[in-house]
Amino acid sequence: MQNIINHIFGMTCDRIQEGEIDFAMNHKKCIYCAADDFEDLMAEPEKIICVEMPNVTHHAWKTLDDAKKVQRIEKALMENKVI
């Protein structure tokens, strides 16, 4: 259910750097480059770094009327076999 909610929330977000925002939590991936080919044993320990992150916005979603929003949400729920 969490992945479905994250997917639907992601639909409401504007694209960042021409890419869709992926809120899926079902696999480990790099939060900076989206790579998912981690080695089993990393040679160096992970460290915390500070990076500039763009704001998540919903400008495109706000331009849709309520009927279109409901249609898109229902489609996503059907694709995920929830309804």
Side-chain angles (χ1 to χ4, degrees):
M1 186 61 111
Q2 176 185 357
N3 284 338
I4 295 165
I5 293 169
N6 287 340
H7 174 71
I8 291 172
F9 178 71
M11 291 178 2
T12 71
C13 299
D14 297 321
R15 298 169 69 89
I16 294 178
Q17 297 175 349
E18 301 306 317
E20 292 183 8
I21 301 173
D22 183 4
F23 290 99
M25 303 294 285
N26 55 353
H27 64 280
K28 187 175 180 180
K29 63 184 171 185
C30 177
I31 61 173
Y32 305 108
C33 69
D36 60 1
D37 56 345
F38 293 101
E39 295 179 19
D40 289 336
L41 298 171
M42 298 179 79
E44 296 180 22
E46 295 180 31
K47 60 183 175 186
I48 297 174
I49 61 170
C50 294
V51 295
E52 293 254 346
M53 298 297 292
N55 292 328
V56 174
T57 59
H58 305 276
H59 301 298
W61 182 258
K62 289 179 182 178
T63 65
L64 302 175
D65 62 26
D66 289 343
K68 193 67 168 174
K69 290 176 183 177
V70 168
Q71 181 183 19
R72 289 191 181 187
I73 291 170
E74 286 177 343
K75 181 181 177 203
L77 292 173
M78 284 189 266
E79 288 172 352
N80 286 283
K81 299 177 176 42
V82 175
I83 59 170

